Amino acid sequence: MKDISEQRYYLVREDVLTEAMQKTLEVKKMLQNDRISIMDAVNKTGLSRSAFYKYRDAVFPFHSIVKERILTVFLQLEDRSGTLATLLQAVAENGCNILTIHQTIPIQGRANVTLSLDVTAMDGDLDVFLQQLKKLDFVESADVVSSGLS
């Protein structure tokens, strides 16, 4: 598996997605619209829970990504003085508007940070931006939690 800083994102046609990926999208739609539990949704679609959890943060419908341009990123940072300020500076330098910030209390030298960003005015490519965040020396991991969802 590639280092997390080398991951890239692609737009693909529905017919080339695996059946499990297609069913994951169906389950996500049910969860968003029908106020249904994950267990009930996967049972209705015939998808295993493990497959749903494997793909839920990896596949997104195109229309949901382009609809609003809101990106939520979960990061794990080393607990060092100035890391949050440096992270936020990198976000601002890329033209992102910070909507929300949530940081946990550091435990065992690490803090979790969730950022919700309006990337409408972002200067560059989203994939390049994510790679820049992942390459900061104090960032241990960075994952997209959601993208473009209302």
Side-chain angles (χ1 to χ4, degrees):
M1 185 167 167
K2 286 185 175 180
D3 180 303
I4 195 164
S5 67
E6 297 174 9
Q7 291 179 349
R8 300 191 55 88
Y9 296 85
Y10 300 93
L11 179 65
V12 298
R13 285 190 334 263
E14 180 180 30
D15 63 318
V16 298
L17 295 175
T18 65
E19 182 180 357
M21 289 177 176
Q22 291 178 17
K23 287 183 177 183
T24 298
L25 290 168
E26 190 176 337
V27 168
K28 288 172 71 170
K29 184 177 180 181
M30 291 170 74
L31 292 171
Q32 184 177 16
N33 298 331
D34 300 339
R35 297 183 185 245
I36 189 171
S37 71
I38 292 173
M39 180 62 94
D40 289 341
V42 295
N43 286 341
K44 282 185 178 185
T45 61
L47 181 68
S48 70
R49 283 188 334 150
S50 63
F52 171 72
Y53 286 113
K54 177 179 180 180
Y55 294 120
R56 74 173 177 174
D57 295 327
V59 294
F60 303 94
F62 178 70
H63 66 84
S64 71
I65 294 172
V66 297
K67 184 166 64 171
E68 285 195 8
R69 305 280 299 167
I70 295 175
L71 179 70
T72 303
V73 182
F74 176 81
L75 303 108
Q76 189 173 57
L77 310 178
E78 290 179 20
D79 182 27
R80 289 191 274 165
S81 179
T83 56
L84 185 59
T86 303
L87 173 67
L88 298 179
Q89 182 66 36
V91 168
E93 287 173 355
N94 278 279
C96 299
N97 181 30
I98 301 166
L99 302 173
T100 65
I101 303 170
H102 180 294
Q103 180 177 358
T104 62
I105 296 172
I107 298 174
Q108 296 180 345
R110 290 171 183 74
N112 296 323
V113 175
T114 304
L115 299 176
S116 294
L117 309 170
D118 179 350
V119 295
T120 304
M122 190 168 69
D123 300 330
D125 180 74
L126 179 61
D127 196 41
V128 172
F129 169 66
L130 291 172
Q131 289 184 21
Q132 286 175 350
L133 294 182
K134 293 171 184 177
K135 288 181 180 176
L136 294 171
D137 67 337
F138 54 83
V139 174
E140 294 187 2
S141 67
D143 297 298
V144 173
V145 176
S146 69
S147 178
L149 302 176
S150 316

